[in-house]
């Protein structure tokens, strides 16, 4: 990944180093996610990478019901970051059913399915 | 579709096969049996077909596989894959192809053996890269998150969601071909196994085998066939996203656009529609589409479906065959919305026939609320 060039590679490389980078359009100033070679808002191609602030809110959420012997229930949600972008993720550190819409959450880099991934925990205070 | 194409094509045959369980048959076997049934209904032969409109859950070139299996070499093929909405979408491309003389007999066809093959959804599509690591269960996690947001914003209740399933079952009980015909109460739905909060297993469509087919011709020939035609008065598509995390507003689908365009093309309004056939993969779908298509205001879908208002004897007949929730759901249900709408107009729905249906709506959904396609069908009286 030393010679990462494409937007997906750049995002994943940063993630592997514990950093969450978000693509931001130089032309219209809007963030987008997932990473891509153009801005989906204005279709400009000048994209910069910005460190994510890490604050967001749960936009919507569900509990995937799974048998205990297979690992039990878990959370799947969509989080809206303060930058205005949304991503699928899960909230850790509380029971999956305790995750509610509009709950403030903070991002961290963890692991999902054996790969580095953006996860969330409830924001303090 | 524009108003210039209004009434230019007609459905002159419908058929289905393998509804429920098609033991020992492949998906393509079920597809072919469906094609034969629809052609038989129209009094036509496979050798008459020169336009093929098909996609399947398996393979990356299913339309070619289907043409090869059927032993035909169509002059026009459309295999556009937008999920379960594809088959409603083919009404537009078939109408265009027929009108332009690119084909004379259009066959829209689908088949699946997903129940007897594996008992779960078989699909050639892969989970999106930025969602897969979180293990959403496709497709239910997506619809569950839409339902959760609708409940949050509009106070929609689990009881109202349950009433969608109960209404579908009540229709299915009148349909001798429906797969699930046992009694079902609101309490049954609420008390059944939770799969993806807030949706229980009874908020989810069936997993069955089955196939369906539709035969279309230009309107000028439409009265030369054994049964009454159902004309395509308007059809339109809209899409908003592919991955659920990219859906801008989880409570508003692109059906708002597809519906508005289809109604404009047909020159009718929701108040004119006598039978509504919606792709009800989950109970939330019916509520979302009734709102987005204009049968009620945004946020009022829960109240609209409550207490049997869309069941037999209610204010609006919705999913009169029992829908994907109780009649049949072989991976993709879309073609059955068109078949049921056409059957109601053609007076060809034994057991579930409504009286004097001149206008019916079929609505297909694809992906995870991603692709929406609306079609309005009408009888001879509506031309
Ligand atoms: Zn931009």
């Amino acid at each position: 990944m030393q010679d990462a060039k494409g937007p997906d590679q750049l995002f994943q490389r940063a993630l592997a180093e514990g950093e969450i980078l978000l693509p931001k359009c130089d032309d219209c100033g809007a963030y987008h996610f997932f990473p891509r070679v153009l801005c989906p808002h204005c279709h400009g191609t000048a994209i910069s990478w910005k460190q994510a602030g890490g604050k967001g809110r749960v936009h919507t959420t569900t509990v995937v019901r799974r048998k205990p012997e297979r690992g039990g229930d878990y959370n799947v949600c969509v989080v809206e970051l303060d930058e205005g972008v949304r991503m699928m993720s899960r909230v850790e550190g509380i029971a999956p059913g305790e995750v509610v819409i509009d709950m403030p959450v903070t991002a961290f880099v963890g692991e999902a399915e054996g790969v580095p991934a953006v996860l969330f925990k409830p924001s303090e205070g | 579709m524009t108003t210039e194409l209004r009434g230019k094509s007609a459905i002159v045959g419908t058929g289905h096969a393998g509804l429920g369980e098609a033991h020992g048959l492949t998906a393509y076997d079920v597809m072919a049996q469906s094609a034969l049934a629809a052609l038989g209904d129209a009094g036509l032969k496979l050798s008459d077909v020169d336009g093929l409109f098909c996609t399947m859950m398996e393979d990356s070139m299913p339309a070619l596989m289907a043409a090869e299996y059927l032993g035909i070499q169509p002059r026009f093929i459309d295999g556009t894959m937008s999920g379960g909405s594809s088959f409603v979408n083919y009404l537009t491309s078939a109408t265009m192809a027929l009108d332009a003389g690119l084909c004379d007999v259009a066959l829209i066809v689908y088949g699946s053996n997903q129940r007897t093959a594996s008992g779960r959804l078989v699909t050639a599509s892969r989970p999106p890269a930025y969602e897969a690591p979180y293990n959403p269960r496709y497709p239910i996690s997506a619809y569950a998150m839409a339902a959760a947001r609708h409940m949050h914003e509009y106070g929609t209740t689990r009881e109202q969601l349950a009433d969608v399933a109960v209404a579908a079952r009540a229709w299915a009980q009148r349909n001798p071909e429906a797969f699930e015909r046992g009694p079902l109460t609101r309490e049954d739905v609420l008390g059944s196994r939770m799969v993806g909060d807030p949706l229980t297993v009874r908020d989810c469509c069936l997993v069955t085998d089955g196939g369906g087919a539709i035969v279309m011709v230009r309107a000028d020939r439409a009265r030369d066939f054994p049964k009454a035609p159902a004309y395509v008065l308007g059809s339109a598509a809209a899409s908003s996203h592919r991955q659920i995390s990219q859906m801008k507003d989880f409570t508003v689908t692109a059906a708002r656009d597809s519906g508005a365009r289809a109604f404009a093309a047909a020159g009718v309004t929701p108040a004119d529609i006598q039978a509504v056939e919606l792709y009800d993969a989950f109970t939330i779908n019916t509520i979302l589409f009734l709102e987005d298509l204009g049968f009620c205001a945004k946020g009022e879908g829960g109240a609209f479906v409550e207490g049997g208002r869309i069941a037999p004897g209610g204010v609006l007949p919705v999913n009169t065959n029992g829908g994907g929730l109780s009649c049949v759901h072989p991976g993709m249900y879309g073609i059955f919305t068109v078949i049921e709408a056409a059957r109601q107009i053609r007076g060809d729905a034994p057991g579930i026939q409504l009286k004097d249906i001149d206008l019916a709506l079929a609505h297909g959904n694809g992906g995870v609320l991603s692709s929406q396609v609306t079609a309005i069908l009408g009888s001879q009286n509506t031309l």
Side-chain angles (χ1 to χ4, degrees):
Chain A
M1 291 297 252
Q2 282 306 313
D3 55 349
K5 273 192 290 206
D8 178 61
Q9 288 182 337
L10 286 161
F11 177 80
Q12 301 294 351
R13 186 179 63 183
L15 210 55
E17 290 166 0
E19 260 193 315
I20 304 168
L21 295 185
L22 293 177
K24 183 173 193 255
C25 176
D26 292 346
D27 291 331
C28 74
Y31 285 87
H32 61 268
F33 193 81
F34 54 97
R36 58 197 96 169
V37 299
L38 53 74
C39 166
H41 309 291
C42 76
H43 305 137
T45 55
I47 312 284
S48 300
W49 292 89
K50 305 287 180 194
Q51 190 96 39
K55 299 287 182 199
R57 282 177 188 273
V58 173
H59 185 72
T60 186
T61 182
T62 183
V63 180
V64 179
R65 300 296 184 117
R66 186 172 58 177
K67 291 183 175 135
E69 60 268 30
R70 293 196 181 164
D73 301 346
Y74 60 96
N75 174 245
V76 169
C77 63
V78 171
V79 171
E80 182 162 317
L81 295 174
D82 287 355
E83 286 86 349
V85 298
R86 292 200 198 135
M87 56 177 66
M88 183 173 282
S89 187
R90 66 171 173 259
V91 178
E92 295 201 332
I94 55 171
E98 302 284 301
V99 180
V100 294
I101 290 175
D102 284 345
M103 169 185 268
V105 289
T106 304
F108 67 99
V109 180
E111 210 172 81
E113 290 296 293
V115 297
V118 181
L119 301 177
F120 290 85
K121 58 188 179 190
S123 295
E124 315 261 311
Chain B
M1 187 183 287
T2 61
T3 46
E4 292 83 72
L5 287 173
R6 185 187 193 275
K8 288 289 172 68
S9 67
I11 294 168
V12 295
T14 72
H16 55 260
L19 297 194
E21 295 185 343
H23 290 283
L25 298 179
T26 69
Y28 288 98
D29 294 336
V30 177
M31 177 280 299
Q33 289 180 341
S34 304
L36 291 173
L39 288 161
D41 187 46
L44 290 168
K45 304 184 299 295
L46 260 173
S47 53
D48 296 318
V49 174
D50 61 355
L52 180 65
F53 303 76
C54 174
T55 190
M56 306 272 282
M57 295 294 278
E58 45 275 288
D59 299 318
S60 56
M61 292 183 241
L64 296 183
M65 291 288 287
E68 177 185 272
Y69 185 116
L70 296 172
I72 59 174
Q73 281 119 24
R75 317 192 256 150
F76 189 92
I77 282 187
D78 184 355
T80 304
M81 175 48 143
S82 58
S85 62
S86 304
F87 306 90
V88 190
N89 201 35
Y90 295 150
L91 293 181
T92 306
S93 52
T95 299
M96 290 163 61
L98 288 164
D99 187 61
L102 299 176
C103 66
D104 295 321
V105 175
L107 173 68
I108 303 173
V109 66
Y110 174 69
S112 166
N113 65 341
Q114 69 160 336
R115 181 180 180 89
T116 52
S118 71
R120 58 190 178 81
L121 194 69
V122 179
T123 173
S125 84
R126 290 162 194 271
Y130 285 88
E131 296 188 347
Y134 306 105
N135 269 326
R137 191 172 292 160
Y138 278 105
I140 184 174
S141 297
Y143 290 88
M145 289 195 288
R149 191 75 208 177
H150 203 276
M151 291 166 76
H152 175 79
E153 286 192 29
Y154 297 111
T156 307
T157 64
R158 283 192 55 212
E159 287 74 13
Q160 291 168 335
L161 292 169
D163 283 1
V164 172
V166 171
R169 182 61 57 86
W171 287 109
Q173 285 172 332
R174 299 151 55 116
N175 181 1
E177 294 178 305
F179 188 68
E180 288 281 3
R181 304 183 64 205
L184 186 73
T185 65
R186 181 193 273 188
E187 290 66 36
D188 293 337
V189 179
L190 295 174
S192 62
R193 179 169 56 88
M194 192 62 83
V195 184
D197 301 40
L199 304 178
T200 71
V201 67
R202 295 287 163 230
D203 287 292
C204 303
C205 63
L206 307 173
V207 176
T208 70
D209 298 338
I214 293 161
V215 179
M216 288 173 66
V217 299
R218 274 183 295 281
D220 56 10
R221 304 172 59 192
R223 298 172 85 170
D224 305 339
F225 294 87
K227 293 180 193 164
Y231 294 89
V232 180
L233 302 183
S235 62
S239 57
S240 51
H241 60 277
R242 167 66 185 92
Q243 312 176 55
I244 194 65
S245 56
Q246 301 289 317
M247 186 168 184
K248 281 204 172 58
D249 184 338
F250 278 71
T251 67
V252 180
T253 72
R256 192 174 268 187
D257 300 322
S258 67
R261 288 199 276 269
F263 279 115
V268 300
T269 69
D272 301 320
I273 302 295
Q274 299 163 294
V276 180
E277 312 298 340
L278 308 172
Y279 192 146
D280 55 343
F282 299 90
T283 49
I284 186 64
N285 293 40
T286 302
I287 290 174
L288 287 171
F289 300 151
L290 286 169
E291 291 174 351
D292 293 337
L293 295 172
F295 291 97
C296 61
K298 180 51 66 183
E300 292 176 8
F304 190 86
V305 302
E306 201 167 347
R309 296 182 77 249
I310 60 169
V315 295
L316 182 69
V318 176
N319 294 355
T320 47
N321 59 351
L325 290 168
S326 280
C327 178
V328 61
H329 194 290
M332 292 189 286
Y333 172 77
I335 197 164
F336 295 99
T337 66
V338 181
I339 291 174
E340 180 60 13
R343 282 171 42 139
Q344 290 295 343
I345 286 168
R346 302 175 76 211
D348 185 31
I352 45 175
Q353 183 65 54
L354 302 169
K355 274 202 184 68
D356 304 325
I357 300 296
D358 286 313
L359 274 170
L361 178 146
H363 182 81
N365 163 70
V368 285
L369 294 169
S370 316
S371 162
Q372 305 299 329
V373 189
T374 312
I376 293 160
L377 306 183
S379 70
Q380 191 76 38
N381 300 333
T382 63
L383 289 187

